[in-house]
Amino acid sequence: MKTTLLLALAALLVSAGYLAGRWRPGAAAGPGNRQVLYYVDPMHPAYRSDTPGTAPDCGMALEPVYADGAGPAEGGAPRPAGTVSLDAGKRQLQGVRIGTAEKVAASHSLRLLGRVVPDETRVHTLNAAAEGSVRELSDVTTGSRVRRGQWLGSVFMAETRSALQAYITALDVQDLDPQRRAHEGMTVSAGTSPGRSAQYTVERLRALGVSQRQIDELRLRRDIPLTVSLYAPVDGWVLARGVAHDQKFEKGAEWFRIANLDKVWVLADLTDADGAEVRPGQKARVTLPGGRGPLAAEVSQVPPQFDAASSTLKVRLLVDNPGATLRPDMFVDVDLQVERPMALTVPVDAVVDGGLRKTVFVERGGGVFEPRRVETGRHLGERVEIVQGLAEGDRIVVSGTFMVDSESRMKAAAAGLFGEPSRDPVCGMEVDEARARAAGTTHQHAGRTYSFCSEQCRRTFAASPEAVLRPSTGQGASQGQDHGHAEGHGQDQGRQQARL
Amino acid sequence: MINRVIDFSVRNRFLVFALTAILCAMGWWSMRHVALDAIPDLGDTQVIILSRWDRSPDLVEDQVTYPIVTAMLGAPKVKAVRGYSDFGYSYVYAVFEDGTDIYWARSRTLEYLSSVLPGLPEGVKTEIGPDASALGWVFQYALTDESGRHDLAELRSLQDWYLRYHLKAVPGVAEVAALGGYGKQYQVNLDPNRLRAHGIPIGRVVEAVRGGNGDAGGRLLEMAGAEYMVRGRGQARSVKDFEDLVLSTSQPGSPIRVRDVGQVVVGPDLRRGVADLDGTGDVVSGIVVMRQGENALDVIDRVKAKLAQVSGGLPAGVRVVPIYDRSELIHRSMDTLRSTLVEVLVTVSLVILLFLWHVPSAVIPIVTIPVAVLLSFIPFRAMGITANIMSLAGIAIAIGALVDAAIVVVEQTHKRLEEWERQGRPGSERDVILSAVKQVGSTSFFALLVLAASFLPVLALEAQEGRLFRPLAYTKNLAMVIAAVLAITLDPALRLSLTHLRRLDFRPRWLSRPLDALLVGRILPEERHPVSRALTRAYLPAVAWSLRHRWLVIGGAAALVLATIPAFRSLGSEFMPPLDEGSLLYMPSTMPGISIAEAEKLLQASDRILKGFPEVDRVLGKAGRADTSTDPAPLSMLETVVTLKPTSAWRRAETWWTGWAPGFLHPLLRRLTPDHISSEALVAEMNEAVGLIGVSNAWTMPIKGRIEMLSTGLRTPVGLKIAGSDLDEIERLGTQVEALLPAVRGTRSVFAERAGKGYFLDVTWNRDALARYGLMVEEAQAVLQAAIGGENVTTTFEGRARYPVNVRYQRDFRSDLDALGRVQVPVMGGKKHVALSQLATVKTVTGPSMIRNEDGLLTGYVYVDLSDRDPIGYVEEASALLREKLPLPAGYAVAWSGQYEAQQRAAERLKSVVPITLLLILLLLYANTRSFTKTAIVALAVPFSAIGAVWFLWALDYNMSVGVWVGLIALLGLDAETGVFMLLYLDLAYEDARKAGKLTSAAALDEAIIHGAAKRLRPKFMTFATTFVGLVPIMWATGTGADVMKRIAAPMVGGLATSFLLELLVYPAIYKMWRWHTEVKANVAAAAGAGAELAGARLVSLPRAAGE
């Protein structure tokens, strides 16, 4: 009797001690004091459990659904892995701003370095048609401004004498009574008429460098001058002066080169890529190094020329040059405004460029952002063109993107995703291929390997692959509509399918 | 031998007193001059090898870190080598075995390094870091400017060129690291279009800048009897000097200067770290790094003195604001310990006074305690142990036991004097006292030595736990040994000097009465003593009952022991008892590749939130690295030091007494359960509040976190190291772990380092295109480096300050991918330029951002932060999960690290230390009792004490830790001591009864046992009470360091209580059964039978068997 009592007492003590040992204060308390209704598998919201733990299919931690309504899966449609939810307070705190993807006609400016050259059409050269020597010179030097007809200097050329003589003779002949000439029965052909002959001699004189002004003088005075005077042919600037006092010159030597600089050319180098955007008629602004200007310019009708040495294109701009601010060989900065067609663009900071993968975060409403893979086109200054992946009006994260991306990657990791996700055709959830391979939840069908989140899904698929594959496209489309950007999401979905 | 010492001491009392006085003076001096610290220096001996090379992490890893790591692996006494390759930097941490001298280690490092250095690529600058570690970050300040007239660059210049050198010169300071603000830099920003227009290659500009900044010396010139030193003044000293540097001349001789192709500005240098104060934005901060092995408090005091001295030289409005100051922690913990020690002294003295009720007798143990404590400071200081929480805790837990010998001696003399008085004072009192002292002197001397010896195995702990607890073991044992020596020298001497039995009888009465009570006193017999009479009265029925229900008592005790097992199993375990440092270290991580601007934003946002807590004093955040080789943090790791206000300023929280207790009780009740929010709750709230997106939080405390980082490389208490050969695979495994672990209870956060997710811009040269222009890859690379990278070309010298000069393209020409494509590469000697896009493809890719290399293998870390869970239990559960769910490819290994590693090592060591202690104690017991039975009975105290120890730990919700184990080891010794005392008086009573021939029946045996147990309760209770009560103030203590001491004292308090109570109840029962079955039963039977002679013979043989 006593022994039994003792044994019972001992057993009681032991069990009491054991129970007390098992119970730890505070062990069962969840985060905060919120009441947990049940736990769900974040990827399969249909799976519910009363106790925390891991999901039976993918081994993920079950997420609690609280009585106050905050739960992991609103709606019930599986969200892509890496979805981030962010309330307004946190957004403000971390400087996450939301913008929209807009179609804009982007114009951006190409900043180029140009070199001023004289307009080829406004350059005049005075050069020697025969050998001779310089007699007299004005004080015009290189860089001097000259007026049209301004005397520049005189040269002596032995060869001019016969030409001058011929001209005077021709003039004399011309002066004879034309009737007398007819009377004497001279047959005058068109080519050899005295007028013609005088004209010929004038041209000959001009070719030798005798100016029109001197020829006119000669006609009046009929006196053969010793020297030939040189006059400026246009208003302009002396670009080159090839003469000096008493200088002998060879035939062909250049005395003066004079250019009119009312309009000048600016030549600028372009890379191949930029060259494709430059069209004749585009407007540009030219500024001088000191900040003078700007002057209006326009891309001339001539297509850019290619410079093989530096493998660049040269574009020519025609610039109005009042007051000759621009001088030849000056370097100027050219802002070439390049207009582009309307394109869907987002701010540069909105795109996370991981090299192979460019991601934009799109709001799905209620402060939930999902990563969207996009393809980018050109950079347009502060914006970048989105070729694929977004629709106009999509609300996207435009600053603080790095932090959203970090969070997204952590979320994706929490969902067991690493690298390229693949979509489970059965439940629509994103699955890490490598993991599925390791777990053996893959299935070969029609030459493709499908990955599944669980053995259960794999079996469903293996039973009737066609039945699973067909409706899944419909699901994708309906999902796209759900979120009000059918285009972007559809494309996204399409790519996902393609990757499957 | 011992008796001779006692004789000698008694004869030369004044010599003993004089010697004691001198030693006390020395002890006092030692105590005043002992170095103070919060905890013992726990850092491993570590040598840092820092290499700088402006290349991406993979290049640095392959060409710098890997060769150095593999070379260092072969160095002697190297325990582990950890390498980090980051952008531009390679850190190699060689951790040496315990006790390796740092300077020895440094010269070995140099030796082994010298074999690698010639093989490193050109341009790699390798150096050995300071003889300090991150644990030496003892003082951190911020430079603030109230006038608003100084920008961050100026403040940084003040830090770099003024404060730094002053502070660095302070003895004990290894380095002063700057953080935050901008370093000033001359920047030559070039317009590539102009370079092209002038046909000047960028290399020409670099040369011109480099060549245009140097002085020359022309020796001496003698003129008119004086000598003149010739100087060529070519130093550039201003922006204009650089602008005017000529690059080339065009044909007509017009020079092209630097200003024609770009502009020169003063701007910020490249930043790899940013600081933030209280969320207000970038701030300039300095970190004083203490040399390894120095005393933090001294260094900080000197630094503060120096700061006070030099702050006069700061511009008006600029102030040095100390943010993190470890000396506060040291002072706080010293205050806690000092008050606890005083409390212990006072309570123990009170207990002694109460029990002896005789002032002159009580004075002896009361004097012994401070003397022993003072004297123990002499060897303590000589051994170079600092006074810290651990070493002083050693003294605190020893005090209760220190007086045991004195108490036993006093008690024995009391008893003898009682007898002497009863017998009418035969002979001189001096002889009585002396013989009483001699009777127990050697026993108590040895008892103390046993206590000391049983604690020796603690010295066998190694590594960090060894460094932590060895000072405790040293001080405890030193105090014990000194107390033992005092017990046979000072105590007998005092005894004889102080014991006067002649009553003082003089007038006035009012003076003689109290003097009489104070100096002579009246020795009360145990029976008439109020306290012991009450105790005895309560105990008598209990022991009688226990003797009647022997089996119930023994069975009940056994059941209690069994019931303890599940409680023991439910105790969590951790490595180290937590030390509340009074500041927090918040360390969030984010993905690699974060820009400095984004990191600054993040830092500011989290700091502002933290500063918003009413408990927070200051917040100083750091992103990236400070300017020191002790800090390898990449930008993606933030470190925020949060200094907290004293707990009295914390928010009030409801606790059980807040509702009803009157105000005057609050200070008392606060000690039991604090009424402010707990630091765990605070951290939980903060964690909730700073739940910013994109970051993974981790919380620790500055010293704790840095120790962990130092010893394992991890920043969290627990972590996983994944080693393998491919970074991508390591990262993949890491993210899988990140997905799996949150399912384990207690996970606050898991973060796998994304080692492979840094962003790169790859410029891949098209070799055909290069060939077309006759360019060598190297030339093209040089252009890339100069144009984009912005090499520091030269340095300007402006007084003490030095600023780098940098040449690169203007920002717009290198800020995006398109612009990079247009970078002009000069060809044909600079006459022509070709766009980079013609020569190479530029694209963004991802790649390794920071590469870790542990002992030559690529490694990825997974940080796991825990809340409300013991690390060891967590790791066991988590590793089981990983084994099941994480398939590892061939060639990859995962290993748990962090505290877990240390705990494993400590557990391994404890597995041998605890049994050795037990064995040692049993041996000593056997040597003392010469009886296996008695040894076994005494050893029963161990399970009895386990009951109290475990349940007490359970009730306090303490985890098992090395500290608790040390407490348990100390408890083992105490168990043996109390057990021996219990048995001693039972034996004495039994022997008395036997000698008197009374043992003729079971009732007689009972009576003898009851006499031994109850009548001699006083000495037993006194030794128990002094030890127990001596520990209570420790349990009662709050404040910094108290938690650590509590972990050690808790098992002792709980264990002593139950072992004492159970011993009181169970020992008599067991003793009775033993004696009855082995001797008395046969005795009684024989007496009842016939052989009375035989019984007599057997009784004669007993004394030897009983073995005193």
Side-chain angles (χ1 to χ4, degrees), chain B residues 36-365:
Chain B
L36 301 182
D37 210 338
I39 49 170
D41 189 2
L42 293 181
D44 284 300
T45 303
Q46 170 194 261
V47 181
I48 307 168
I49 303 158
L50 169 69
S51 311
R52 288 195 187 83
W53 196 35
D54 268 351
R55 297 294 187 278
S56 66
D58 50 336
L59 289 176
V60 173
E61 169 67 25
D62 287 348
Q63 299 185 36
V64 183
T65 313
Y66 182 67
I68 294 178
V69 167
T70 44
M72 285 311 297
L73 273 177
K77 290 201 179 184
V78 165
K79 202 163 67 173
V81 185
R82 281 193 286 272
Y84 304 88
S85 306
D86 199 355
F87 162 70
Y89 291 89
S90 153
Y91 295 86
V92 175
Y93 292 81
V95 183
F96 286 77
E97 279 168 19
D98 265 355
T100 311
D101 176 59
I102 177 144
Y103 297 101
W104 184 89
R106 286 168 76 84
S107 38
R108 291 299 82 72
T109 305
L110 270 182
E111 265 172 34
Y112 278 78
L113 206 55
S114 65
S115 66
V116 201
L117 286 181
L120 297 182
E122 209 177 315
V124 178
K125 286 180 213 137
T126 300
E127 62 186 74
I128 288 200
D131 41 359
S133 66
L135 201 55
W137 292 21
V138 292
F139 188 80
Q140 207 171 343
Y141 58 86
L143 270 182
T144 58
D145 170 37
E146 278 146 16
S147 66
R149 280 200 303 267
H150 306 279
D151 63 13
L152 285 169
E154 282 174 58
L155 290 177
R156 176 69 186 246
S157 291
L158 270 176
Q159 159 64 27
D160 280 351
W161 311 112
Y162 179 69
L163 281 175
R164 180 165 66 149
Y165 294 131
H166 277 299
L167 295 180
K168 215 176 161 177
V170 171
V173 174
E175 189 172 34
V176 178
L179 171 69
Y182 300 91
K184 184 175 154 184
Q185 185 188 44
Y186 286 94
Q187 295 173 336
V188 180
N189 294 328
L190 300 173
D191 181 341
N193 289 333
R194 277 182 216 303
L195 286 177
R196 187 174 57 176
H198 292 295
I200 294 169
I202 188 163
R204 172 76 200 117
V205 183
V206 172
E207 273 167 41
V209 171
R210 196 175 283 147
N213 179 35
D215 274 350
R219 289 211 163 177
L220 295 171
L221 212 62
E222 281 177 44
M223 287 190 295
E227 63 174 27
Y228 290 79
M229 287 169 261
V230 182
R231 295 188 293 185
R233 306 287 276 164
Q235 287 276 359
R237 276 158 221 281
S238 65
V239 165
K240 193 174 175 307
D241 285 351
F242 282 109
E243 278 180 338
D244 287 345
L245 289 175
V246 70
L247 296 171
S248 78
T249 42
S250 60
Q251 273 86 358
S254 59
I256 299 165
R257 297 169 209 262
V258 167
R259 63 164 181 256
D260 296 322
V261 292
Q263 71 272 79
V264 182
V265 293
V266 172
D269 200 352
L270 180 74
R271 292 192 295 167
R272 297 310 292 163
V274 58
D276 174 86
L277 180 64
D278 296 341
T280 52
D282 199 357
V283 73
V284 175
S285 161
I287 302 165
V288 176
V289 186
M290 181 184 79
R291 185 162 285 132
Q292 209 164 325
E294 289 284 336
N295 178 254
L297 192 64
D298 295 351
V299 172
I300 293 171
D301 284 346
R302 287 196 288 261
V303 164
K304 280 185 185 160
K306 181 59 101 174
L307 274 178
Q309 190 189 331
V310 300
S311 57
L314 293 172
V318 176
R319 283 199 315 126
V320 176
V321 185
I323 307 292
Y324 176 71
D325 179 353
R326 195 180 290 171
S327 66
E328 285 171 17
L329 170 69
I330 298 170
H331 284 307
R332 272 202 309 272
S333 46
M334 282 303 114
D335 287 347
T336 309
L337 276 151
R338 210 170 285 142
S339 60
T340 306
L341 272 176
V342 169
E343 281 166 21
V344 169
L345 278 172
V346 170
T347 44
V348 168
S349 306
L350 283 176
V351 166
I352 294 166
L353 265 178
L354 190 68
F355 275 91
L356 292 177
W357 212 251
H358 183 235
V359 178
S361 300
V363 163
I364 296 166

Side-chain angles (χ1 to χ4, degrees), chain A residues 35-370:
Chain A
Q35 195 197 342
V36 176
L37 289 179
Y38 52 85
Y39 295 85
V40 295
D41 178 349
M43 285 298 146
H44 289 141
Y47 179 83
R48 286 185 184 187
S49 163
D50 290 337
T51 50
T54 51
D57 48 0
C58 33
M60 281 181 57
L62 294 180
E63 289 186 10
V65 173
Y66 295 104
D68 54 16
E74 299 114 22
R79 287 188 208 150
T83 301
V84 177
S85 79
L86 246 186
D87 58 49
K90 213 148 263 181
R91 278 213 301 264
Q92 199 208 350
L93 192 68
Q94 285 194 278
V96 174
R97 283 190 294 111
I98 312 289
T100 48
E102 289 167 359
K103 268 211 161 98
V104 291
S107 79
H108 83 126
S109 76
L110 279 175
R111 195 179 152 84
L112 305 169
L113 183 84
R115 195 164 61 86
V116 177
V117 292
D119 183 346
E120 281 172 9
T121 60
R122 288 157 200 265
V123 178
H124 296 259
T125 308
L126 299 178
N127 53 0
E131 60 175 23
S133 65
V134 177
R135 280 283 166 269
E136 275 178 285
L137 276 178
S138 68
D139 55 359
V140 168
T141 57
T142 305
S144 297
R145 179 159 198 184
V146 291
R147 305 239 148 260
R148 183 191 166 92
Q150 184 177 337
W151 177 76
L152 300 175
S154 308
V155 293
F156 171 78
M157 287 178 291
E159 275 181 40
T160 51
R161 181 161 180 87
S162 61
L164 288 167
Q165 189 62 61
Y167 177 60
I168 290 171
T169 314
L171 283 178
D172 289 346
V173 171
Q174 213 178 8
D175 286 347
L176 294 176
D177 187 359
Q179 287 170 341
R180 194 189 131 203
R181 269 192 289 166
H183 175 71
E184 281 172 8
M186 288 174 89
T187 50
V188 181
S189 66
T192 56
S193 72
R196 268 304 201 204
S197 156
Q199 226 172 344
Y200 175 77
T201 49
V202 166
E203 286 307 320
R204 191 161 161 224
L205 281 176
R206 290 192 60 127
L208 281 167
V210 183
S211 63
Q212 188 62 46
R213 186 167 157 190
Q214 208 172 4
I215 292 171
D216 290 344
E217 263 174 38
L218 198 64
R219 191 168 58 214
L220 296 177
R221 305 240 296 271
R222 303 281 163 95
D223 175 24
I224 296 171
L226 268 176
T227 58
V228 175
S229 299
L230 305 175
Y231 299 97
V234 284
D235 283 349
W237 303 78
V238 177
L239 295 182
R241 175 177 183 260
V243 291
H245 285 288
D246 300 330
Q247 186 187 332
K248 304 280 180 292
F249 49 82
E250 297 295 314
K251 182 173 176 180
E254 182 184 80
W255 294 313
F256 288 97
R257 193 161 74 243
I258 295 166
N260 178 295
L261 298 179
D262 289 346
K263 275 184 191 296
V264 290
W265 287 355
V266 168
L267 295 180
D269 287 343
L270 282 172
T271 59
D272 266 347
D274 293 336
E277 291 182 76
V278 177
R279 315 228 180 302
Q282 272 166 344
K283 300 285 178 221
R285 291 189 324 157
V286 169
T287 37
L288 278 107
R292 283 172 296 154
L295 299 166
E298 192 184 312
V299 176
S300 72
Q301 291 301 321
V302 190
Q305 307 148 266
F306 190 72
D307 175 32
S310 59
S311 118
T312 49
L313 292 166
K314 286 219 184 299
V315 66
R316 183 193 298 167
L317 299 133
L318 194 60
V319 190
D320 284 324
N321 187 24
T325 335
L326 301 179
R327 304 288 174 84
D329 290 334
M330 264 184 175
F331 289 112
V332 290
D333 291 320
V334 178
D335 276 322
L336 190 59
Q337 292 299 317
V338 179
E339 297 288 335
R340 284 184 177 149
M342 299 282 276
L344 186 65
T345 60
V346 295
V348 169
D349 286 345
V351 183
V352 181
D353 189 349
L356 293 174
R357 211 185 149 113
K358 296 182 175 71
T359 313
V360 168
F361 289 87
V362 183
E363 191 181 29
R364 278 180 65 168
V368 174
F369 298 86
E370 67 167 41

Side-chain angles (χ1 to χ4, degrees), chain A residues 2 6 9-10 13-14 17-18 20-27 53-54 59 61 84-86 90 93-96 110-113 269 271-272 274 289 307-311 331 333 352-356 379 400 402-407 409-410 413-418 432 434-435 438, chain B residues 191 193-194 196-198 549 551-552 556 559-560 562-563 566-567 570 589-594 598 601-602 605 608-609 691-696 728 731-732 735-736 738-740 742-743 745 751 754 757 759 773 813 818 822 832-835 837-838 844-846 868 885 887 951 954 957:
Chain A
K2 207 171 168 185
L6 277 176
L9 192 70
L13 269 171
V14 169
Y18 182 76
R22 293 291 293 176
W23 175 82
R24 301 296 301 168
T54 51
V84 177
S85 79
L86 246 186
K90 213 148 263 181
L93 192 68
Q94 285 194 278
V96 174
L110 279 175
R111 195 179 152 84
L112 305 169
L113 183 84
D269 287 343
T271 59
D272 266 347
D274 293 336
D307 175 32
S310 59
S311 118
F331 289 112
D333 291 320
V352 181
D353 189 349
L356 293 174
H379 279 259
F402 182 89
M403 298 319 297
V404 179
D405 181 50
S406 288
E407 178 76 6
R409 278 151 71 187
M410 286 183 199
L417 281 175
F418 179 80
D432 183 26
R435 246 188 98 177
Chain B
D191 181 341
N193 289 333
R194 277 182 216 303
R196 187 174 57 176
H198 292 295
H549 303 94
W551 287 108
L552 185 65
L560 271 178
L562 285 179
S570 78
S589 317
T590 181
M591 292 288 163
I594 189 169
E598 196 70 29
K601 219 165 75 182
L602 185 64
R608 204 179 311 137
I609 298 171
L692 298 175
I693 57 154
V695 296
S696 172
D728 272 346
E731 194 182 321
R732 199 183 65 79
T735 47
Q736 284 191 20
E738 203 179 283
L740 290 170
R745 185 175 66 77
F751 181 71
R754 306 297 201 274
K757 285 290 183 281
Y759 297 106
Y773 293 101
F813 297 100
D818 287 2
R822 291 197 195 98
K832 288 276 185 185
H833 284 75
V834 184
S837 56
Q838 300 289 326
T844 53
V845 291
T846 49
D868 202 23
K885 299 267 187 188
W951 283 105
W954 183 87
D957 200 11

Side-chain angles (χ1 to χ4, degrees), chain B residues 495-626:
Chain B
R495 177 88 263 175
L496 283 176
S497 316
L498 288 180
T499 319
H500 303 282
L501 291 176
R502 221 157 291 120
R503 307 194 68 79
L504 294 172
D505 200 11
F506 60 90
R507 285 176 189 277
R509 272 267 181 251
W510 61 266
L511 188 67
S512 77
R513 275 243 180 96
L515 266 180
D516 186 50
L518 209 64
L519 297 175
V520 182
R522 182 184 297 274
I523 294 178
L524 288 173
E526 205 173 330
E527 298 80 23
R528 283 175 37 215
H529 187 279
V531 180
S532 49
R533 201 173 54 204
L535 284 171
T536 313
R537 200 177 286 163
Y539 180 49
L540 263 174
V543 70
W545 182 85
S546 132
L547 285 175
R548 267 200 309 284
H549 303 94
R550 292 185 298 280
W551 287 108
L552 185 65
V553 167
I554 295 170
L560 271 178
V561 171
L562 285 179
T564 308
I565 293 172
F568 176 71
R569 293 179 67 89
S570 78
L571 290 178
S573 51
E574 64 193 352
F575 169 57
M576 284 233 278
L579 165 67
D580 182 10
E581 297 177 24
S583 37
L584 297 170
L585 194 60
Y586 165 58
M587 298 199 292
S589 317
T590 181
M591 292 288 163
I594 189 169
S595 69
I596 193 131
E598 196 70 29
E600 193 179 336
K601 219 165 75 182
L602 185 64
L603 192 65
Q604 203 174 336
S606 58
D607 285 2
R608 204 179 311 137
I609 298 171
L610 291 175
K611 174 70 181 164
F613 277 82
E615 288 82 9
V616 171
D617 185 24
R618 301 309 287 258
V619 185
L620 182 60
K622 168 175 89 75
R625 72 170 55 93

